[in-house]
Amino acid sequence: LLSFWARSLDNQPARFNALLERDGGNYEKSGELGVNLRSADWQRFYVPAQAVSSYAPGELAVAFHIGAQVQRFDIAGIEVHNLGTSVSF
């Protein structure tokens, strides 16, 4: 589970994708969320993810694809949680 906080700046809309993906190779995605910010208020976001394979240390990356438009926003409090196999999304 990926979680983070985000807010737009200047009360202007902002748009980006948050991902958990393999770091390199084919960049296979374990989780992805499209985020649309419309407020300067902090909002918490959750990206449910299920590993598509086993990853050695350093093989899983958090990525933010942010080049959709001219925009200003903050991201904070990025956390990745391993919930084991007892939780399904």
Side-chain angles (χ1 to χ4, degrees):
L1 177 71
L2 167 64
S3 67
F4 60 93
W5 293 84
R7 66 178 180 178
S8 65
L9 298 176
D10 307 323
N11 277 328
Q12 297 296 315
R15 208 174 55 200
F16 62 91
N17 289 331
L19 307 103
L20 275 170
E21 64 184 8
R22 180 178 297 282
D23 188 16
N26 64 359
Y27 297 94
E28 66 187 338
K29 311 294 184 268
S30 291
E32 183 172 2
L33 177 69
V35 176
N36 289 299
L37 300 172
R38 291 176 168 53
S39 169
D41 295 329
W42 284 104
Q43 297 174 274
R44 190 161 194 185
F45 294 91
Y46 297 93
V47 182
Q50 187 167 1
V52 294
S53 62
S54 295
Y55 299 101
E59 287 186 340
L60 185 65
V62 172
F64 295 96
H65 294 183
I66 61 173
Q69 61 193 37
V70 175
Q71 54 192 355
R72 290 176 14 109
F73 58 90
D74 289 329
I75 298 174
I78 301 166
E79 298 178 350
V80 177
H81 303 272
N82 181 350
L83 303 177
T85 58
S86 61
V87 177
S88 61
F89 297 107

